[in-house]
Amino acid sequence: MISCPLKQTSEVDWIQPLKGHIRSVYGEDPERYNEECATLNRLRQDMRGAGKDSAAGRDLLYRYYGQLELLDLRFPVDENHIKISFTWFDAFTHKPTSQYSLAYEKASIIFNISAVLACHAAIQSRADEAGLRIAYHSFQASAGMFNYINENFLHAPSIDLSRETVKTLISIMLAQGQEVFIEKQIRAETKAKMVAKLVSQAAFLYAQAVEGITASNVSEVVFERVWMLVTQYKSSYMASVSQYYQAIADADANAHGSAIARLKKAETLAKDANRVLSSFPSSIAPTSNLPSDTVSILTDQVKRHLSNVQEKLASFVKDNDFIYHQSVPNEAALSVIPKAPSAKPIPVSELYAGQDIHRVIGQDIFQRIVPMAVTESASLYDEEKAKLIRAEAEKAETANDEMATSLDYLKLPGSLNVLKGGMDQETTVDESFRGWCEELAGHESFGRAFEHLQADKTALSAMLDACTKQLDTEENRCESMRVKYGSDWIQQPSSRLNSTLRSDIRSYRGAMEEANNSDLQLSTTSRQYEADFDEMRSAGETDEADVLYQRAMIKAVGSRGRGKSAVSPGGEGNLLDEDYGEGGTSVMDQIAKIEDLLKKLNLIKRDRMEVLKDLKEKVHNDDISSVLILNKKSIGNHESKLFEAELEKFRSHQNRLLQTIHKQHALLKELTKLYGDLLQDKRVRSEQAKYESFTRQRNSVLSRYKKVYQSFNDLIGGLLRAQSFYNEMKDTVESLNKNVEAFVSNRREEGIQLLSQIERANASNTDRQADRERERLQQLMDRMSVNPSPPVRSRSSASRPPALPFPSQNGTMYSHNGSMYSGPPPNSPPYNMATSTAHYSSPPPPSSTPGFQGYPPNGTYQDPTRAAYPYQPRSPPANQMYPPNAAYGYPQQLPPGFVPPPPPPGPPPGSQGYGYAQPPGRPSGGGPPGQGDPWAGLSAWR
């Protein structure tokens, strides 16, 4: 048997190109897919060493091919995207071909799969049944894989993948598969006519192979010469065998002349086949994939067949000469033997028929990567699933509502208790009522809670009042200072700055008022239901809810004047015990039928909900991402059809839901009829009236206490919300209070600084006035003096010469503002006071100086002009510095004729420092004010 050689390939690196594409297109970290990329790369390396004659090699190749198919759905491997150069060597010419196309890689893999299948079939031992079956299947599968190449891969880049070459290989594989099947039929002693048809098909396929090999080898030698010889031999040999078995069939059909003619033709064809064998080379090259003993095997085969033909021909001729005497037709007159093909190409999808294809291919390596197109399609499919679930859930809900509405209209099953003496059960305490009483048990009255809320409101109002008072006080102080200092008070008015704080205060007061209104409503509700709360609380704590319920029922019945209705009618018997002598079905039988229908309805409802739940789970777990990936290339045109096909898997659940709805409709119709007949029975009417009256009373009681219970819950919720509101409001108001204090404090500091600036400015102006007055007095005294003294410099000038020292009455030196006076020298002329008597009244200078009688005892000079120019001495500004006396460089002796002027008003001779004593009550500037600080009253709020 002929087997195809495998294509060889060079190494390829999948890892880096795939990582780059994952980073650039999918925007993910490629390091997360190290294992997947390495797995694919390793799989290709293993594929290169796959055995050519084993099923394991076939599976390894097919696994790699399957992963390539899945890879192609996520990664575009071509020259424009992921560039990977695939280099394969021609299986026949061994010439390399490189392409960036993934299709070329897949076509080469499929070619090798076909070659492996052919090799695997050729090495099988056809002596047993298993070998025949494997060889027959493998040859057909190989033909199917070759056929897949021709159908799906156009523009072959190499000779071995060209359509002519692949078509020739298909013919060879099918012919050999047909031959294997013929061997099996001959062993099974199939009828000669059928065997002749099968062999005729094999001869035809070998003839096609001969034509293909011949055409392929015209321009370039593709196939080995020995392949040509083998196919020529098989073509002649199979034609001979076909004529042989057809001759036997003709003889069985009493066509002895035709049988003899076919045997003669078979003999000729057998000799032709034997003649082809003589052209075989002495040794067969290993590249031909043929065993070395091929010639000997084929020679023995054709010799045995020629011997059988000749023996059968001699026997048929003898029988015809002596018995049948039929004429022997010419070979050209013989009819063509029909063909019966048994070997057919097996499609790729059926290659692993009966096996788990996912086990062979393995798990999708890159299943974590889902293309955007597939994600969008999956989202659309999810919408279709959601529509299906909504539709089915709506049907189920509608059916449940119909059943509940019907039973409520018929007052079932509660009304049946009346007919069965069940009103005794109706008079027992309702479980919901008992639960209400138990929830109220242990709860204290609401008085303490309202007191706590009132305390919180009072505290919050006080805090808001304090904030308002601080702002008002600050604003009043600011305006009073503005009135006092006029335009010198440049501090911005408070009303422009505290508007936000005052707005917050008004907003918080409004919120407090609204909260107070809500509190009043809660208090009103508490007072309204206080007695009911106490009753239910007591019943819950003493476990006497039934007593309270019975008392309420009696009170409700008494208000209607039907006290007897509150008593259970159980003592009066029930309809099941009464018999009015009427014929027909008893009341008990009718009730039993109705109860049976109710049970069926409940079962149908439960079954419907279980089916719906199961449907929701299956729809939720349904993931067709893999299906969408596999159909990615064609999904654009068949998306809706694909969705419809996938949703068909839920059809069984939809049908089951529909069946439950139909059954429910039928049962409700029957129930309505039975219950109507029951109500028309006069034995039921009187009891029905009692039950309706009792039901109204019971509903009235439950409605009243339900309202009380709801009011209790509303009170608790309202008080919790109120407490939460006041807690939040407390934090907010405290924050507001801090903001107000900070605002007032900042304004106070700003006012203190402004006040200090004003005081310093006033002090500076006063000092300048005093200096000007002193200079004027000095000038007057100079005009009155014989020898004028140097002009007195202002204390504020930059270079101030020191005043001359003068002695006191007891000979000490007087100091005035840093200047020393020592008195006139002995040769000074007397001071003539006559020129100034009209204006001044000077005291006599000292006794040591002629004309000068000294100063008054207190050491001050009495200036008569003080009445017109009042002057109060002030200390110099804090930043004014005086140089020492020695710095001015005045001589120690006074100039001749100098008469010192009287000193200006100042401190007595023993004062300390460079300035005058601070008058009481006047700030010196620079430091904070003391007792006279107008802002001192605000310090209590800091």
Side-chain angles (χ1 to χ4, degrees):
M1 295 291 183
I2 298 175
S3 60
C4 180
L6 275 69
K7 292 171 67 68
Q8 301 300 319
T9 181
S10 58
E11 292 187 4
V12 167
D13 179 26
W14 277 104
I15 298 178
Q16 297 305 322
L18 290 180
K19 283 186 176 181
H21 187 77
I22 291 173
R23 181 187 297 106
S24 61
V25 175
Y26 290 100
E28 298 188 33
D29 183 10
E31 300 303 323
R32 295 178 53 202
Y33 298 92
N34 283 334
E35 184 178 354
E36 287 85 348
C37 296
T39 300
L40 181 64
N41 205 56
R42 185 170 55 253
L43 192 59
R44 192 181 193 279
Q45 295 294 336
D46 296 341
M47 173 274 302
R48 295 178 61 207
K52 65 178 182 179
D53 55 357
S54 64
R58 173 202 65 184
D59 294 345
L60 188 58
L61 287 166
Y62 197 79
R63 182 179 299 115
Y64 178 62
Y65 172 76
Q67 292 298 333
L68 290 182
E69 287 286 356
L70 298 173
L71 185 77
D72 192 22
L73 301 174
R74 297 178 174 88
F75 299 95
V77 182
D78 53 35
E79 190 173 0
N80 299 323
H81 299 87
I82 302 179
K83 293 185 64 174
I84 300 178
S85 179
F86 302 103
T87 302
W88 288 86
F89 296 89
D90 194 287
F92 300 106
T93 64
H94 307 293
K95 294 180 179 180
T97 303
S98 299
Q99 280 197 354
Y100 294 106
S101 173
L102 185 64
Y104 177 53
E105 175 85 349
K106 291 193 290 185
S108 300
I109 295 298
I110 293 177
F111 185 93
N112 278 0
I113 293 174
S114 302
V116 169
L117 288 170
C119 294
H120 187 56
I123 65 172
Q124 297 299 317
S125 174
R126 300 192 297 277
D128 55 1
E129 187 71 21
L132 284 173
R133 185 172 59 255
I134 294 174
Y136 179 59
H137 179 270
S138 297
F139 279 129
Q140 293 181 96
S142 178
M145 299 299 284
F146 280 127
N147 191 51
Y148 184 79
I149 295 176
N150 265 359
E151 292 177 353
N152 295 275
F153 300 98
L154 305 177
H155 312 292
S158 58
I159 295 176
D160 53 0
L161 296 176
S162 64
R163 296 185 64 85
E164 293 77 12
T165 303
V166 173
K167 186 177 180 181
T168 301
L169 292 174
I170 293 172
S171 299
I172 294 174
M173 296 302 116
L174 289 178
Q176 293 183 143
Q178 186 86 4
E179 183 179 353
V180 172
F181 186 77
I182 291 170
E183 291 178 5
K184 180 180 179 181
Q185 297 304 316
I186 292 175
R187 291 181 187 178
E189 298 181 355
T190 304
K191 292 182 178 180
K193 188 175 182 179
M194 177 56 67
V195 174
K197 294 179 180 180
L198 294 173
V199 179
S200 176
Q201 174 67 15
F204 172 74
L205 293 173
Y206 276 119
Q208 282 187 334
V210 171
E211 293 177 0
I213 293 174
T214 303
S216 299
N217 288 347
V218 171
S219 58
E220 185 178 0
V221 177
V222 178
F223 297 100
E224 296 279 349
R225 180 174 178 274
V226 69
W227 281 33
M228 171 69 75
L229 297 176
V230 170
T231 52
Q232 287 178 347
Y233 162 79
K234 290 290 184 72
S235 177
S236 300
Y237 174 74
M238 288 298 170
S240 175
V241 174
S242 175
Q243 294 294 337
Y244 173 76
Y245 279 99
Q246 187 62 41
I248 296 175
D250 290 346
D252 293 339
N254 202 23
H256 299 283
S258 177
I260 294 172
R262 290 188 183 279
L263 287 175
K264 289 180 179 180
K265 188 174 182 180
E267 182 180 13
T268 303
L269 291 171
K271 291 178 180 179
D272 292 341
N274 193 25
R275 191 163 42 253
V276 172
L277 290 176
S278 62
S279 301
F280 267 72
S282 57
S283 61
I284 299 177
T287 56
S288 63
N289 281 9
L290 288 172
S292 58
D293 57 348
T294 300
V295 178
S296 60
I297 293 174
L298 297 180
T299 301
D300 293 341
Q301 182 186 53
V302 73
K303 285 182 178 180
R304 285 195 305 270
H305 172 66
L306 182 58
S307 175
N308 293 334
V309 169
Q310 291 174 348
E311 290 179 2
K312 188 67 69 174
L313 178 59
S315 175
F316 281 8
V317 170
K318 182 179 178 181
D319 292 341
N320 187 53
D321 291 342
F322 288 99
I323 301 173
Y324 306 112
H325 305 288
Q326 293 182 4
S327 60
V328 178
N330 296 326
E331 292 183 5
L334 295 175
S335 62
V336 178
I337 301 174
K339 302 176 184 66
S342 63
K344 299 178 181 179
I346 297 178
V348 178
S349 58
E350 299 179 10
L351 177 61
Y352 289 91
Q355 302 182 41
D356 186 6
I357 188 65
H358 297 287
R359 181 188 62 81
V360 177
I361 297 178
Q363 191 177 15
D364 188 357
I365 295 178
F366 292 94
Q367 62 180 350
R368 291 192 296 165
I369 297 179
V370 179
M372 183 58 66
V374 173
T375 303
E376 294 174 356
S377 298
S379 300
L380 296 177
Y381 181 68
D382 289 340
E383 293 180 4
E384 296 297 326
K385 291 192 300 182
K387 291 179 182 178
L388 185 145
I389 288 296
R390 285 195 297 268
E392 298 304 322
E394 185 177 355
K395 292 179 183 178
E397 184 178 359
T398 302
N400 293 338
D401 292 343
E402 289 180 356
M403 186 175 74
T405 304
S406 300
L407 295 181
D408 184 65
Y409 176 75
L410 298 175
K411 298 180 181 180
L412 293 173
S415 60
L416 294 180
N417 293 332
V418 180
L419 307 180
K420 297 168 62 178
M423 195 177 291
D424 291 333
Q425 300 176 359
E426 296 292 336
T427 57
T428 59
V429 63
D430 189 87
E431 289 301 322
S432 59
F433 179 81
R434 186 186 299 276
W436 300 338
C437 294
E438 291 176 355
E439 289 194 27
L440 264 69
H443 285 277
E444 298 181 358
S445 62
F446 297 104
R448 185 175 299 176
F450 284 108
E451 292 176 0
H452 185 68
L453 293 182
Q454 185 62 36
D456 290 343
K457 287 187 289 185
T458 302
L460 290 173
S461 298
M463 294 174 66
L464 292 176
D465 292 341
C467 292
T468 303
K469 184 177 180 180
Q470 290 187 67
L471 295 177
D472 292 342
T473 303
E474 188 276 330
E475 187 171 351
N476 292 335
R477 289 296 176 91
C478 178
E479 296 306 318
S480 65
M481 298 298 285
R482 194 182 312 280
V483 171
K484 181 177 180 180
Y485 290 100
S487 60
D488 290 340
W489 190 259
I490 61 174
Q491 188 178 25
Q492 191 172 359
S494 300
S495 59
R496 300 180 183 177
L497 303 177
N498 61 15
S499 59
T500 301
L501 295 174
R502 292 187 181 276
S503 175
D504 291 342
I505 293 175
R506 289 193 298 271
S507 175
Y508 297 156
R509 289 189 186 279
M512 292 282 292
E513 292 178 0
E514 293 180 1
N516 185 58
N517 295 335
S518 300
D519 296 345
L520 292 177
Q521 294 179 2
L522 293 176
S523 178
T524 302
T525 303
S526 176
R527 290 193 300 270
Q528 179 181 357
Y529 294 102
E530 185 174 2
D532 295 326
F533 291 159
D534 293 339
E535 285 185 355
M536 296 181 71
R537 184 185 303 111
S538 176
E541 292 174 351
T542 58
D543 197 16
E544 294 181 352
D546 53 347
V547 177
L548 178 60
Y549 179 76
Q550 293 292 345
R551 188 164 59 245
M553 288 292 294
I554 293 172
K555 184 177 180 180
V557 173
S559 64
R560 296 173 179 269
R562 298 177 180 177
K564 61 181 180 179
S565 299
V567 182
S568 171
E572 301 178 2
N574 55 64
L575 291 177
L576 302 182
D577 301 327
E578 297 180 3
D579 185 5
Y580 294 99
E582 296 183 0
T585 306
S586 64
V587 174
M588 184 173 62
D589 292 340
Q590 296 181 53
I591 292 176
K593 291 181 179 179
I594 293 175
E595 289 180 339
D596 184 57
L597 290 177
L598 290 175
K599 290 179 180 179
K600 290 181 179 180
L601 285 173
N602 289 330
L603 288 175
I604 287 175
K605 180 180 178 181
R606 185 175 62 184
D607 183 52
R608 178 168 55 244
M609 299 312 295
E610 289 178 355
V611 172
L612 181 61
K613 180 181 178 181
D614 187 46
L615 176 62
K616 289 180 178 179
E617 291 179 357
K618 289 186 178 299
V619 169
H620 178 72
N621 297 327
D622 183 32
D623 184 11
I624 63 168
S625 296
S626 58
V627 177
L628 294 175
I629 290 176
L630 293 176
N631 294 273
K632 177 186 174 184
K633 296 182 179 180
S634 60
I635 196 172
N637 300 326
H638 308 285
E639 188 176 77
S640 59
K641 294 182 179 179
L642 178 62
F643 290 169
E644 292 177 2
E646 290 296 327
L647 291 176
E648 281 297 320
K649 65 171 71 80
F650 308 117
R651 181 64 63 184
S652 60
H653 289 76
Q654 293 176 276
N655 293 335
R656 289 172 60 186
L657 288 173
L658 190 60
Q659 290 175 2
T660 60
I661 294 174
H662 291 329
K663 289 181 181 179
Q664 176 179 301
H665 287 166
L667 291 176
L668 285 175
K669 185 177 181 180
E670 184 179 357
L671 177 65
T672 303
K673 182 178 181 304
L674 288 177
Y675 189 69
D677 295 342
L678 177 63
L679 294 180
Q680 293 301 321
D681 195 325
K682 64 180 181 179
R683 294 171 292 182
V684 178
R685 294 176 186 172
S686 60
E687 200 68 23
Q688 185 72 16
K690 294 179 183 179
Y691 178 75
E692 291 177 355
S693 175
F694 176 81
T695 302
R696 286 193 298 270
Q697 298 162 10
R698 178 175 176 274
N699 292 338
S700 175
V701 171
L702 290 179
S703 176
R704 173 174 173 267
Y705 281 100
K706 183 178 181 180
K707 185 177 181 180
V708 174
Y709 173 71
Q710 291 177 347
S711 300
F712 175 79
N713 288 333
D714 293 342
L715 269 175
I716 291 179
L719 289 173
L720 291 176
R721 289 191 297 272
Q723 188 63 50
S724 175
F725 168 79
Y726 287 123
N727 290 338
E728 294 178 359
M729 182 61 72
K730 182 179 179 181
D731 297 337
T732 305
V733 173
E734 287 178 352
S735 177
L736 173 65
N737 189 31
K738 292 179 181 179
N739 293 337
V740 170
E741 290 179 353
F743 171 77
V744 172
S745 177
N746 292 336
R747 294 280 292 177
R748 178 180 180 275
E749 296 295 335
E750 182 183 354
I752 290 173
Q753 294 178 7
L754 181 58
L755 183 61
S756 298
Q757 294 175 6
I758 295 174
E759 291 289 345
R760 284 195 297 270
N762 291 339
S764 177
N765 293 333
T766 304
D767 288 344
R768 285 195 295 271
Q769 270 186 344
D771 290 342
R772 287 194 296 270
E773 181 68 18
R774 188 179 297 108
E775 185 176 356
R776 188 181 66 83
L777 291 175
Q778 182 66 40
Q779 292 174 357
L780 288 175
M781 292 178 68
D782 289 344
R783 287 197 295 270
M784 291 185 296
S785 174
V786 178
N787 296 321
S789 61
V792 179
R793 296 178 178 269
S794 175
R795 289 189 303 161
S796 60
S797 63
S799 61
R800 181 183 185 94
L804 295 176
F806 59 93
S808 64
Q809 293 179 1
N810 53 7
T812 60
M813 303 296 291
Y814 283 96
S815 171
H816 176 66
N817 287 340
S819 301
M820 303 299 294
Y821 296 88
S822 60
N827 57 357
S828 298
Y831 192 100
N832 187 6
M833 299 298 294
T835 59
S836 61
T837 55
H839 301 283
Y840 298 98
S841 178
S842 301
S847 56
S848 59
T849 305
F852 184 73
Q853 302 298 324
Y855 293 103
N858 56 2
T860 60
Y861 174 74
Q862 301 296 330
D863 186 3
T865 62
R866 290 176 62 116
Y869 299 93
Y871 172 73
Q872 294 295 331
R874 291 177 53 88
S875 60
N879 57 356
Q880 181 170 339
M881 303 298 293
Y882 296 97
N885 294 335
Y888 293 99
Y890 284 94
Q892 297 297 327
Q893 298 297 327
L894 296 174
F898 174 76
V899 178
S911 61
Q912 300 293 326
Y914 294 99
Y916 299 108
Q918 181 72 28
R922 181 178 294 274
S924 60
Q931 298 296 330
D933 180 12
W935 300 89
L938 298 178
S939 61
W941 293 334
R942 296 193 61 178

